[in-house]
Structure formats: structure tokens, C-alpha cells
Amino acid sequence: MNLVSFTAQGTALWGVALEDGVLALSPEFPQYRTLRDVIAAQALPDILTAAQGRTASHKAGLFRYTVPIPDPGKILCVGVNFPDRNAEYKDGKEAPPHMSLFPRFVQSFVGQGENLIRPPESAQLDYEGEIAIVIGKEGRRIARDQALSHIAALTLCNEGTIRDWVRHAKFNVTQGKNWDRSGAMGPWLVPFTDPAQILDIALETRVNGELRQSDRTGRMLFPVAEQIAYISTFTTLRPGDIIVTGTPTGAGARHDPPIWLTPGDRIDITAEGIGTLSNGVADE
């Protein structure tokens, strides 16, 4: 079973996803306001046990998915983390010795089934399919061989980007990466129990059914364990923190001519063992 955050009749809830809908468990565990609190208390096993043999409290169509962790302490994204992405820059440089990082704010994401929002200031809304990890155990200067034990769950991310705003400054991309509701995260949290869940799995992005991105996590320039070790060198990672681990080649900006997202488009991001994150596009 996977864990979800959702709203129903204006009330924010969390629980588990079932075949016919979702089961709200937050009313039974009032000590945990969000799934971040559940993770911080290391209570995921208790939640999953409580859901055994239950049926949906909210059938499909009677609830709306929201971002799985609505209150992360921080979201850090890893840039240019696949070999072909490095080659896209056509600068003749080998892969850098250290990873590129930038922050995202939670309000820049919507949940499963919601529309990404194209702002009036730019038509260059782009997609980036990625896997995100949710930290479950606090750590600083985490050893690489211990890094995966700090993961609580996996989810998917459409790291939607306003491309021309990425290039507004010389050294940073933050303003192009943080437009309200420009990206998506979800649909749920998959509890992390085995390194095989992340070491070499397929990741694909489709736009209107057309395959645009496809690669495997085993080809990452900076594997997830290295990401955790490196990031935790300079900042303490805490339960509920999120690392967005990098996107394959094939984003809209890299086509000739570029292919930007437009209202009515559908983006599906799929990863083995995690599921599919699906979103539409609408104008603000």
C-alpha cells in the first residue's frame, strides 16, 4: 500500500491508496498532522498495519490528490544528472566533479491529476520527469554506504520549468524553477524497504502519449546514495526533506524547435515500482 495526501469536501486528509479510492487514516491518528509527521515518528509501519483489510473511505471522484508531503523542511533538486543531459549542453565539457543543486518551494507543485499552470509572463513551460526521495531519518555527513537507510519513501516529480526565466541570471536557476503550480509531485509515497527500488529502475515521460524521456537510474552521474552523502555534508537532512534526483534527456527545450507545454496537454511520468504521475496544463 502507498500513502497519500488528499482533500475531500475542503478538508485536508492523509491515508493510503486503495484500488477503489483512498482510505483516510488521519482522523484515527490525530497526533500526526501530515505524512511528514508520520515519517518523523517512524510510524509508517503502524499506519500500514492499521490499513490492512480496510476498504476505501472516499471513492474515486470524491477526493482530490495533493502533494504527498505538504510541509517539507526543504526540497533540493539535482540538475544535469544523466550522461545525455550533460551532452545536451554542447560545451565540450566532461561531467562535473560535483552535482548541481537548486531549491524548490512546495507551492511550486500540484498533486496528481491537477493542471500545471502556464503563467502569462512566459509561454516556455517545460516538463522534467524525475524520481524524488523523502528522507526518513535525520543525518549530517552521512556515509555513502549508509545513505539509502535514510530514505523513508519514493515518489514522482514533474519538475516543471519556465525556461526563459531559468536564464535571467548568470549563476542561478531558482526563479525559473519556482513558479506557483508549475510542477507536480505524487501521486503517492511508496515506502522504501529495499535498495533495489532505486538502484536501477526505468524512468519515462510521455506528453500526449508520445515518449519524450527514457532512462534508468543506474545511469545517473550522481547516484542517489551519493546525493544524500554530498547534500548532508553541508546541511542536516531531516525527516520529510525531499531530494529530486534528476531528469533524463528529452525535455521540450532540447527539441529543435523547442516544444513547450500548452493548455490541454497531458504529461505522464512513470517509474518502475512507483507508478505514474499524470497532469494536465492550463493557463493562469
Side-chain angles (χ1 to χ4, degrees):
M1 285 182 288
N2 301 322
L3 296 107
V4 291
S5 296
F6 61 100
T7 60
Q9 296 183 328
T11 300
L13 300 163
W14 58 260
V16 297
L18 301 175
E19 287 188 5
D20 57 345
V22 296
L23 169 62
L25 289 171
S26 45
E28 300 174 29
F29 295 88
Q31 67 271 40
Y32 306 134
R33 187 177 64 85
T34 69
L35 286 175
R36 178 188 179 187
D37 296 334
V38 173
I39 289 169
Q42 298 186 346
L44 286 181
D46 297 336
I47 300 305
L48 296 176
T49 297
Q52 292 293 329
R54 306 274 294 274
T55 58
S57 60
H58 297 76
K59 302 290 187 179
L62 299 179
F63 67 93
R64 181 174 64 86
Y65 286 104
T66 55
V67 176
I69 303 287
D71 53 350
K74 48 187 169 287
I75 303 172
L76 289 172
C77 304
V78 181
V80 196
N81 197 27
F82 284 88
D84 296 336
R85 282 282 289 121
N86 187 63
E88 280 180 339
Y89 281 80
K90 299 179 181 179
D91 56 7
K93 295 181 180 179
E94 297 296 323
H98 302 296
M99 63 194 72
S100 299
L101 296 169
F102 55 89
R104 278 198 78 138
F105 315 137
V106 72
Q107 64 263 31
S108 70
F109 294 111
V110 298
Q112 165 82 349
E114 298 295 299
N115 287 326
L116 309 186
I117 300 300
R118 186 176 71 169
E121 290 83 0
S122 174
Q124 295 186 15
L125 174 61
D126 206 351
Y127 57 86
E128 293 189 6
E130 310 197 28
I131 296 166
I133 63 167
V134 180
I135 297 297
K137 184 171 64 175
E138 182 171 315
R140 177 83 193 277
R141 299 185 178 92
I142 299 168
R144 180 169 173 168
D145 62 359
Q146 296 297 313
L148 297 186
S149 70
H150 286 257
I151 301 175
L154 307 175
T155 191
L156 294 170
C157 178
N158 186 341
E159 214 262 293
T161 302
I162 305 299
R163 286 294 174 197
D164 50 344
W165 279 67
V166 165
R167 301 179 179 88
H168 273 194
K170 185 173 183 179
F171 293 118
N172 67 287
V173 299
T174 302
Q175 57 271 55
K177 294 288 190 173
N178 279 288
W179 286 78
D180 287 356
R181 298 178 293 166
S182 59
M185 197 173 289
W188 42 56
L189 299 182
V190 178
F192 185 78
T193 59
D194 189 326
Q197 290 175 260
I198 194 64
L199 290 180
D200 187 31
I201 63 171
L203 172 63
E204 295 182 342
T205 302
R206 286 177 167 79
V207 179
N208 301 325
E210 177 189 2
L211 183 64
R212 296 279 185 86
Q213 295 182 291
S214 180
D215 216 321
R216 301 188 66 87
T217 57
R219 283 175 24 90
M220 285 181 170
L221 298 174
F222 304 101
V224 169
E226 186 173 347
Q227 295 177 30
I228 294 170
Y230 180 79
I231 292 169
S232 70
T233 304
F234 66 86
T235 185
T236 301
L237 289 173
R238 294 191 168 91
D241 287 348
I242 297 170
I243 299 174
V244 183
T245 60
T247 195
T249 188
R254 300 303 172 181
H255 291 262
D256 187 14
I259 307 174
W260 309 120
L261 295 173
T262 58
D265 284 347
R266 175 188 170 97
I267 311 98
D268 298 299
I269 297 165
T270 302
E272 286 180 290
I274 301 177
T276 299
L277 171 65
S278 300
N279 298 91
V281 179
D283 275 336
E284 185 175 339

